[in-house]
Amino acid sequence: SQPLTIAEFAKKIGKNVTEIIKYFFNQGLMINQNMVLSEEQVGELALEYGFDFKKETSLTKENIFEQLDEETDSPESLQDRPPVVTIMGHVDHGKTTLLDAIRDSNVVGHEHGGITQAIGAYQITTKVGKKITFIDTPGHEAFTEMRSRGANVTDIVILVVAADDGVMPQTEEAIDHAKQANVPIIVFVNKVDKPGANIPKIKATLMEYGLVAEEFGGDIPFIEGSAKFKQGLDRLEETLLLIAEFGNLKANPSKLASGTVLEAHLDKNKGPIASVLVQRGTLNLRDVVITGSTFGTIKSMENENGRKLSHALPSQPLVITGLNEVPNAGDRFLVLNDEKLARQIASAQMLKKQEAERIAKQTLTLDSLKMHL
Ligand code: GTP
Ligand code: MG
């Protein structure tokens, strides 16, 4: 294996050298561009910057540098992938009910306390045979972080606004996230069946946030409907598919998978369970996955309905088991099919995490000391 310097590495993945140097600097490492990277550091940078590894052979410590996917995928390797749509909006405006209506199932009924506790992710097949992936986000204030993560993996945002309640704090916040993610926004004005529904007011208010309806010369589709009474759903789906087609969404399925952890928790019997979204490549049963400071061999893969899967394609959400610890939601994952290397990268990340925690704790103690002075 041919070792790479930071400068060569940066060139290979199309990043500025100073960015990589800054990355190490922030961890307290003083380095220069001629420093040779270790295999662990390459893995770490892969997680940080989200580049991929080729599929031809499995990735090992010996071939990690050659396997680095230096270029954007060739046009022939790219295939259509379903759009990933995130549903955002203020608490109780009807996000889960809308998703539920679209899925024609009943997630609301199973939810604890009626609040979506975690990002639910589902894939549907529309009447015209096209797939769409939906990510539900909770509207509660405590979940700002989670919503921003939802925005990061998304191609399209559906902003749900209850017609009787109007634009509220988490509506504004969702607009911010969508703007940061730089993705198309569709406004779904929900609960039009309710007395007190004031659609013109919502359109006027959203205009102040730069969301101008098509009828006023803007480019934001406004769809009026009712999640509860299943109104407006066909138009919503059509609009989503249209925007997706326009976006020409593609990914290369024939490489080692990478993607994002949406949610994770510890199950008493099954151990760490993570719901993940594949964004590139194909994820297979028995793949060795690394994410943050945890890793493992995938023991089971299931879709949102509990159906067993042997592989998962780009834009597909699924639930995996086999990781040795509960990963962080929002972290990237990648497959590298070398357990020893995965373990090394994970433990390097763990050390980093512990160091960051130690420093945070020190600062905290210092702050609390100051407070007592
Ligand atoms: P959080 O996840 O807690 O942020 O809420 P949410 O946005 O997912 O709202 P949810 O789907 O849980 O709906 C909240 C309430 O509004 C429920 O009681 C729904 O039945 C009701 N609701 C949702 N859509 C409609 C609608 O179109 N019309 C009416 N009348 N009620 C609706
Ligand atoms: Mg909900």
Side-chain angles (χ1 to χ4, degrees), residues 42 172 367:
V42 172
E172 290 177 37
D367 281 347

Side-chain angles (χ1 to χ4, degrees), residues 90-97 108 111 114-118 136-139:
H90 194 72
V91 60
D92 273 355
H93 278 200
K95 300 173 293 293
T96 304
T97 310
V108 176
E111 277 180 22
I115 283 192
T116 309
Q117 294 289 343
D136 187 15
T137 63

Side-chain angles (χ1 to χ4, degrees), residues 72-363:
T72 43
D73 298 291
S74 67
E76 313 86 71
S77 71
L78 291 174
Q79 285 180 23
D80 289 339
R81 63 170 181 84
V84 178
V85 178
T86 302
I87 304 185
M88 293 192 180
H90 194 72
V91 60
D92 273 355
H93 278 200
K95 300 173 293 293
T96 304
T97 310
L98 177 63
L99 183 60
D100 202 27
I102 294 169
R103 286 178 77 200
D104 209 20
S105 61
N106 196 356
V107 183
V108 176
H110 299 299
E111 277 180 22
H112 200 70
I115 283 192
T116 309
Q117 294 289 343
I119 290 182
Y122 315 93
Q123 196 170 66
I124 60 144
T125 305
T126 62
K127 283 169 222 122
V128 291
K130 299 239 187 221
K131 291 186 165 129
I132 305 177
T133 298
F134 288 97
I135 298 176
D136 187 15
T137 63
H140 196 270
E141 291 169 71
F143 294 103
T144 307
E145 175 70 17
M146 203 179 275
R147 281 196 297 279
S148 73
R149 280 184 224 125
N152 289 340
V153 299
T154 202
D155 300 305
I156 304 169
V157 167
I158 298 179
L159 184 67
V160 175
V161 187
D164 59 333
D165 207 20
V167 175
M168 298 298 276
Q170 275 110 59
T171 317
E172 290 177 37
E173 192 201 285
I175 296 170
D176 283 345
H177 288 316
K179 282 187 176 162
Q180 271 163 34
N182 199 18
V183 295
I185 302 176
I186 299 178
V187 176
F188 188 81
V189 183
N190 190 32
K191 307 198 188 185
V192 295
D193 59 282
K194 285 188 93 170
N198 190 344
I199 302 166
K201 187 175 165 210
I202 290 173
K203 286 187 176 161
T205 311
L206 285 179
M207 211 182 301
E208 290 167 24
Y209 292 92
L211 303 184
V212 184
E214 283 160 338
E215 64 194 279
F216 299 130
D219 60 355
I220 304 291
F222 273 68
I223 295 162
E224 295 157 23
S226 163
K228 191 170 174 180
F229 297 103
K230 297 191 166 46
Q231 282 165 16
L233 303 186
D234 285 350
R235 257 204 76 203
L236 181 62
E237 257 178 49
E238 282 161 24
T239 311
L240 285 170
L241 290 177
L242 210 70
I243 293 176
E245 206 170 307
F246 195 70
N248 195 24
L249 305 169
K250 296 196 184 286
N252 177 358
S254 19
K255 57 165 127 186
L256 298 175
S258 62
T260 300
V261 176
L262 298 174
E263 189 268 340
H265 66 273
L266 190 65
D267 181 273
K268 267 206 305 270
N269 304 313
K270 293 179 185 158
I273 296 185
S275 117
V276 303
L277 177 76
V278 178
Q279 291 173 289
R280 291 182 296 250
T282 299
L283 189 64
N284 297 293
L285 213 54
R286 314 298 310 158
D287 269 348
V288 176
V289 170
I290 171 153
T291 168
S293 54
T294 176
F295 72 100
T297 303
I298 298 185
K299 258 199 281 194
S300 74
M301 295 175 36
E302 277 179 14
N303 74 2
E304 66 275 9
N305 302 319
R307 196 165 62 83
K308 296 254 179 283
L309 305 171
S310 58
H311 66 274
L313 294 165
S315 295
Q316 194 167 345
L318 72 156
V319 177
I320 62 169
T321 64
L323 292 171
N324 63 354
E325 276 171 56
V326 179
N328 291 323
D331 274 357
R332 281 181 43 79
F333 74 83
L334 58 88
V335 169
L336 33 76
N337 284 345
D338 179 318
E339 199 166 337
K340 207 171 137 214
L341 179 60
R343 186 186 303 275
Q344 284 166 342
I345 296 171
S347 57
Q349 299 273 96
M350 180 56 94
L351 285 178
K352 243 172 57 185
K353 201 167 104 184
Q354 283 165 351
E355 179 64 12
E357 274 163 14
R358 194 181 62 81
I359 290 168
K361 222 191 222 156
Q362 269 180 357
T363 326

